[in-house]
Amino acid sequence: MKATSIAPSNLAFIKYWGKKDEKLRLPLNDSLSMNLSNLTTITTVEFDKRYTDDVVVIDGKREEKEGERVIKHLDLIRKIAQMSLKAKVVSKNNFPAGTGLSSSASGFAALTVAGVKAAGILLSQKELSLLSRLGSGSACRSIPDGFVQWYRGNSHATSYAVSLFPSDWWEIVDVVTVVSRRKKEVSTTEGQKKTASSSFMKIRLEGINEKIRLCKEFIKKRQFTALGELTEKEALEMHAVMLTTDKPLLYWLPETVMMMRLVRKWRREGIPVYFSLNTGQDVHLLCEKKTQKRLLDKLKTVGEIKNIIINTPAKGARLSNNHLF
Ligand code: DP6
């Protein structure tokens, strides 16, 4: 059977960085995110006896390296479905992959939902989230709707994400400013292996539960300034860990730092905007809907920005009838 799913990427206000179990992708801490309406992956999966090998095509290219990770995920689905049919997987991102915009989150969420349906099995949302996590940790947060918490758990069955608030809870906007198409040099999976070597990691973990509590409260009460301040501090804290691991990880370009400084300048000028960063050079700018126009006017004046992608809170992964083949 053939099935297609479309899934959003997500932006974490409280980040996932560091695992206590590499194989199961169990994180060291809970994280909290928002699904993004305009960073999406669409994936079609077909299991059929006419395929003699698994075939993986991502953004029009037959994948060998990334294909292995996809095939491992297909194996998990085949195990649950108790079948051995080979599959064809075709996947398309509407944004550049491998540049720190979390294509593995949208990618593995879409692969899970399409793959499970194509294998003819029925899983609950919690089970889909658990299974997505095994492909890429942050993918488990792209399954439920809107504003999402990933419970770190202490076993496969207890580490999954749930929706805290629906996508229409709050009109906030995440404007992604793309400053380079350069692919990152160290993958998130590789980078995270070193988190324990940062002396800040212990301190980070001591304060993380309070951060989660505050973040939930700010979203619940729609307190934008408080959420913005927390988000910005949290992104910098994650990068402080990255910068202080053995073989420090530096994901920023000069343009990244320039954007961070501009955000602070615009705030001083009265525009309520805050930034967040993942493992890439591009910068996420958070504002409320009512501020979007003023922010976009400012962005037009920055020549270094190659592209902007405007996101609102979105629903999680879902099935679609628009098969890619
Ligand atoms: C910086 O989910 O990509 O985006 O589980 O190894 O695939 P793996 O890692 P991944 O890590 C995401 C890290 C982050 C922060 C976040 O989204 O929480």
Side-chain angles (χ1 to χ4, degrees):
M1 210 222 284
K2 186 189 281 187
T4 298
S5 168
I6 178 156
S9 172
N10 62 72
L11 170 71
F13 302 118
I14 306 296
K15 308 285 188 186
Y16 148 55
W17 191 250
K19 301 179 177 71
K20 60 184 170 214
D21 186 312
E22 292 283 334
K23 196 165 168 278
L24 290 178
R25 291 181 200 273
L26 298 181
L28 284 165
N29 57 272
D30 284 25
S31 51
L32 223 148
S33 61
M34 163 181 133
N35 285 330
L36 302 176
S37 61
N38 211 7
L39 289 177
T40 56
T41 303
I42 178 160
T43 300
T44 300
V45 181
E46 182 179 43
F47 290 99
D48 195 278
K49 56 180 182 312
R50 72 179 188 280
Y51 299 125
T52 51
D53 260 319
D54 291 318
V55 179
V56 180
V57 181
I58 302 176
D59 290 332
K61 218 175 95 227
R62 179 101 182 236
E63 282 288 341
E64 299 305 332
K65 193 159 170 281
E66 193 61 20
E68 274 175 34
R69 199 164 157 190
V70 171
I71 291 168
K72 255 177 90 182
H73 208 63
L74 292 174
D75 288 340
L76 293 174
I77 294 170
R78 280 188 277 254
K79 202 169 158 199
I80 301 172
Q82 297 184 323
M83 56 107 146
S84 57
L85 291 174
K86 298 289 181 193
K88 179 172 175 180
V89 177
V90 176
S91 189
K92 263 193 190 164
N93 297 297
N94 75 341
F95 61 100
T99 61
L101 295 178
S102 307
S103 56
S104 68
S106 49
F108 278 96
L111 177 68
T112 303
V113 170
V116 160
K117 176 78 178 169
I121 40 182
L122 203 64
L123 295 185
S124 65
Q125 185 179 83
K126 174 179 166 182
E127 288 166 325
L128 289 169
S129 181
L130 291 168
L131 184 54
S132 301
R133 191 200 74 237
L134 296 172
S136 177
S138 53
C140 77
R141 296 190 310 237
S142 288
I143 297 288
D145 287 345
F147 298 85
V148 171
Q149 181 170 357
W150 173 9
Y151 302 131
R152 67 183 185 281
N154 50 22
S155 61
H156 172 61
T158 53
S159 186
Y160 61 99
V162 297
S163 178
L164 297 173
F165 302 99
S167 51
D168 59 2
W169 176 253
W170 194 5
E171 286 201 311
I172 55 178
V173 183
D174 172 14
V175 181
V176 176
T177 53
V178 178
V179 294
S180 166
R181 305 232 176 244
R182 200 179 76 154
K183 296 232 171 185
K184 60 187 162 205
E185 283 153 15
V186 183
S187 74
T188 43
T189 304
E190 271 314 300
Q192 285 187 55
K193 286 185 182 156
K194 297 173 187 156
T195 44
S197 67
S198 166
S199 47
F200 293 145
M201 198 55 194
K202 192 170 162 281
I203 302 165
R204 168 168 170 71
L205 292 175
E206 278 166 15
I208 204 85
N209 289 341
E210 178 60 4
K211 273 188 166 178
I212 290 277
R213 189 189 71 74
L214 286 173
C215 189
K216 277 204 292 212
E217 189 180 307
F218 298 153
I219 297 172
K220 187 173 175 194
K221 296 184 180 158
R222 301 190 183 93
Q223 293 175 333
F224 182 71
T225 307
L227 179 70
E229 280 171 5
L230 181 69
T231 302
E232 205 169 287
K233 247 174 113 179
E234 164 65 1
L236 290 172
E237 185 174 294
M238 177 180 72
H239 279 269
V241 169
M242 292 166 172
L243 289 166
T244 49
T245 52
D246 284 346
K247 254 188 137 197
L249 296 162
L250 178 57
Y251 286 109
W252 303 344
L253 292 180
E255 292 86 346
T256 316
V257 179
M258 180 203 71
M259 284 310 303
M260 292 192 274
R261 297 186 81 98
L262 275 176
V263 164
R264 295 192 160 178
K265 179 170 169 278
W266 294 335
R267 249 191 345 252
R268 286 197 298 275
E269 292 171 9
I271 301 178
V273 53
Y274 294 85
F275 65 76
S276 183
L277 306 151
N278 284 335
T279 45
Q281 58 269 2
D282 300 332
V283 185
H284 293 256
L285 306 187
L286 279 179
C287 69
E288 288 178 285
K289 186 90 187 158
K290 60 184 183 208
T291 318
Q292 182 180 323
K293 185 167 175 324
R294 277 164 80 202
L295 176 62
L296 293 183
D297 285 345
K298 285 283 184 196
L299 294 178
K300 276 185 207 146
T301 65
V302 185
E304 287 82 353
I305 299 173
K306 307 264 180 303
N307 189 16
I308 61 167
I309 305 166
I310 301 172
N311 297 281
T312 49
K315 286 191 183 301
R318 54 216 172 265
L319 288 165
S320 156
N321 289 324
N322 296 329
H323 301 311
L324 294 177
F325 63 93

